[in-house]
Amino acid sequence: MKLYMKFFSIHLKSQMQYKVSFFLTALGQFLVSFTVFLGIYFMFSRFNEVEGFTFEQVLLCFAIVLVSFSTAEMFGRGFDLFPSMLGNGEFDRALVRPRSTVFQVLAGKMDFTRIGRLLQAIIIFVYAIPRSGVIWSFDRVLTLIFMIVCGSLIFFALFIVYASVSFFTIEGIEFMNIFTDGGREFGRYPFAIYGQNILRFLTFVIPLALFQYYPLLYLLGMEENKLFMFTPLIGLVFLVPCYVFFRFGLRKYKSTGS
């Protein structure tokens, strides 16, 4: 942890060397996500609710997904840029160092400009939480924490899968963005609105619904079964096959010779 915090400090200082660039990039991240908010706003200007969810409840859902994705992208940026590490031979150096390759990829790149998205999510939280109709209690506060923390880890696991595929393709494949960036975009609404087949897929294959949809039902009082409170923790099982896949790809890795 001490070494990781050292890398954290190095990345933060290096990015703050160009303060204007940093803040403009962060502003760009804020504005990109703001267009998504506008899409939600304009839709609810025509409809009072979507599948039983009100505007404020959808905003709460959107904020949770946005915080989770932005946190995972900020600290897991190394896996998102992993194909470039393979292509330029940088990963070869990681293999001969006396540290875990996962740690080196994780600590090798952090992108603090994603704080622009986090700031927007916090603003949405401030607006939506008192208006969403949630009757706050200890278990519901805990549910919200589970959703954010576990959501970040599940998105992080998807970045690991993206990196693992690169062992076989060398270049990153855009297909994985369906689950990373696509998960963020489609996660603006509760996943059930896309149909039962999509909901099953996002429950049993890519467990995005386990941290977004099911605990949201418990949070809003639409479901009283306490099992829904703990579905984000169940979703963490997804980390295991993702890590195993990364190790499998590592064993098959052949240097590009760059």
Side-chain angles (χ1 to χ4, degrees), residues 115-132:
I115 197 170
R117 287 177 180 165
L118 285 175
L119 177 61
Q120 182 181 153
I122 292 171
I123 294 172
I124 294 174
F125 268 130
V126 171
Y127 175 81
I129 283 178
R131 296 173 176 83
S132 59

Side-chain angles (χ1 to χ4, degrees), residues 4 7 11 72-86 90-95 97 99-111 156 159-164 166-167 246-247 250:
Y4 182 80
F7 275 103
H11 286 299
E73 191 176 35
M74 183 183 298
F75 296 105
R77 187 65 169 166
F79 286 100
D80 193 27
L81 299 176
F82 188 73
S84 64
M85 289 185 66
L86 295 180
E90 185 180 349
F91 186 66
D92 291 359
R93 295 200 299 270
L95 292 175
R97 291 170 180 163
R99 285 287 178 178
S100 165
T101 52
V102 172
F103 173 81
Q104 292 185 66
V105 175
L106 184 64
K109 180 66 177 178
M110 301 176 198
D111 192 349
F156 176 72
F159 286 130
I160 293 178
V161 174
Y162 174 75
S164 303
S166 301
F167 281 121
F246 183 83
R247 297 298 301 178
L250 184 60

